[in-house]
Amino acid sequence: FRPSKPNETLHTIKATNVSRREISDLVDEIKIEYEFPWIEHYLRLYKGKSYVEMEYKIGPIPINDTVGKEVVTQYKCNIDNNGAFFTDSNGREFQKRVRSSRPTWKLNETEPIAGNFYPVNAAIYIEDSRKSFGIVTDRSQGASSLSDGSISMMVQRRVLADDSRGVGEPLNETDGCVSPYPPYGDATRHGEGVIVRGKHRLVTGLGSSGASITRKEMDEAFSEPLLFFYSADQGEEVLFRQTSFSLLQSVLPKNVMLLTFQLLRHEDANSFLIRLGHQYARDEHFELSKPVTVDLQKLFKSRIVDLVEKTLSGNRNREDWLSDRLKWTRYSQLKRIDQYNEQRDHTIILNPMEIRTFHIKLEATGAPASSSISEL
């Protein structure tokens, strides 16, 4: 996103019609139409949810005026964030950003718009001592706080000139084909511009709570429930014998997410690869940022007979990796709350932002542990 002028201001598109409809007892929707028919917004309120969902539909962006366009959705509130905003780093820890500033060198700013957008994989938030406001995305986007009390999200663009940043062609995506590139053609794109749909979840909270209010929604937005349907003639046996199924004997702690639950079929029907992740970083929440204890036995109904911690990728025993790695002089200064080989009674401790991987073997019974899964 590089405007034609380095300090160009946003061109606001006016809303022309706002309509409300009640989709069901659980969902209310507000549709916002604009002076440009290729832009639509849908605001939805879900009963029992702590966020407002904003779905956007952008495109096809017209270029018959020979002017490229970059579309930003900007949210405004009365938060005095003093130029600071926070973006996630690959869906994990949040990084503090300060508008028109860099933490390790003196910035000679020549592009105040393009130079202040940062990648957002999952969430961005702003906060002050009284209020917090965050946005959870359903895809990676560029975002910034170009002025206090605002968050701008990159949602769509169609440009007609190369931005001199390595691509070597305009970012003009269409739903048709493209002619051959030089020297065999002129790389002309055919068809209409693409239509982009996406969702933002808007969350609010008390002062200095931006990280905690977005954490609650990030994983839900990324890992939405998958719906499965099956049709059968009358009298035909239905493949889905059970309408619900869970291997968990109890609910996991609120700050723990089950990242991987994989049956290792190449070994046997009772071996699994498990990854658990702590969802909060230090000082993000007075309670949920603390180390948490998890009993791995509660993930299974069969008894665990063997438990080995692996490296994050799962291809080595962690104990072997620790013994082989280089011992740096300052490594001894990094203290952990627990040691990796202390898994007493299958109970482990997860520290803030930590992900741990385990190879687990269950006790063989009359019916393999995988049979319940394959018979769903």
Side-chain angles (χ1 to χ4, degrees), residues 270-276 294-300 303-310 317-319 340-349 356-363:
N270 296 289
S271 296
F272 293 82
L273 187 71
I274 304 296
R275 285 189 186 90
L276 294 173
V294 180
D295 185 355
L296 296 178
Q297 180 61 68
K298 292 185 178 180
L299 297 178
F300 303 93
R303 187 173 67 88
I304 295 177
V305 295
D306 187 47
L307 172 65
V308 178
E309 182 162 12
K310 313 290 283 188
N317 291 349
R318 185 170 181 89
E319 186 175 349
Y340 278 101
N341 59 356
E342 291 180 358
Q343 294 142 18
R344 185 179 64 256
D345 299 328
H346 309 134
T347 298
I348 65 159
I349 293 177
R356 298 179 69 174
T357 306
F358 298 92
H359 179 283
I360 294 177
K361 187 175 181 62
L362 302 181
E363 182 179 41

Side-chain angles (χ1 to χ4, degrees), residues 305-348:
V305 295
D306 187 47
L307 172 65
V308 178
E309 182 162 12
K310 313 290 283 188
T311 56
L312 184 61
S313 59
N315 63 341
R316 289 194 68 187
N317 291 349
R318 185 170 181 89
E319 186 175 349
D320 296 339
W321 173 78
L322 285 173
S323 63
D324 293 343
R325 65 176 295 182
L326 295 175
K327 304 298 188 297
W328 299 100
T329 304
R330 298 183 60 186
Y331 179 74
S332 59
Q333 299 177 11
L334 303 177
K335 296 182 179 179
R336 291 178 43 84
I337 294 177
D338 70 307
Q339 296 297 320
Y340 278 101
N341 59 356
E342 291 180 358
Q343 294 142 18
R344 185 179 64 256
D345 299 328
H346 309 134
T347 298
I348 65 159

Side-chain angles (χ1 to χ4, degrees), residues 146-315:
L146 297 176
S147 60
D148 284 356
S150 73
I151 295 179
S152 299
M153 308 291 297
M154 298 179 177
V155 291
Q156 169 68 304
R157 64 178 169 183
R158 189 181 184 190
V159 296
L160 303 178
D162 179 37
D163 63 359
S164 301
R165 287 296 183 269
V167 179
E169 63 177 300
L171 295 175
N172 178 19
E173 296 177 286
T174 61
D175 58 6
C177 62
V178 58
S179 61
Y181 283 75
Y184 308 103
D186 56 1
T188 299
R189 291 193 173 271
H190 302 275
E192 296 290 333
V194 297
I195 298 175
V196 171
R197 290 179 178 267
K199 295 179 181 179
H200 295 153
R201 292 186 179 185
L202 315 180
V203 292
T204 60
L206 300 176
S208 303
S209 65
S212 61
I213 61 175
T214 52
R215 286 285 184 200
K216 294 189 297 184
E217 302 299 336
M218 287 167 58
D219 292 318
E220 287 188 21
F222 179 75
S223 304
E224 291 186 324
L226 299 177
L227 303 179
F228 296 89
F229 300 90
Y230 178 80
S231 61
D233 295 332
Q234 186 175 3
E236 181 182 346
E237 183 181 9
V238 179
L239 294 180
F240 293 97
R241 297 184 177 90
Q242 297 176 247
T243 57
S244 63
F245 175 77
S246 176
L247 285 176
L248 298 178
Q249 296 188 62
S250 62
V251 178
L252 287 171
K254 293 182 178 180
N255 50 359
V256 175
M257 184 178 184
L258 181 61
L259 302 174
T260 302
F261 194 101
Q262 180 182 354
L263 174 64
L264 302 177
R265 294 184 181 274
H266 63 280
E267 294 187 10
D268 56 51
N270 296 289
S271 296
F272 293 82
L273 187 71
I274 304 296
R275 285 189 186 90
L276 294 173
H278 196 301
Q279 294 176 288
Y280 286 75
R282 296 185 186 277
D283 302 322
E284 288 185 351
H285 192 277
F286 70 94
E287 184 64 32
L288 298 179
S289 288
K290 296 179 181 179
V292 60
T293 301
V294 180
D295 185 355
L296 296 178
Q297 180 61 68
K298 292 185 178 180
L299 297 178
F300 303 93
K301 295 180 179 178
S302 300
R303 187 173 67 88
I304 295 177
V305 295
D306 187 47
L307 172 65
V308 178
E309 182 162 12
K310 313 290 283 188
T311 56
L312 184 61
S313 59
N315 63 341

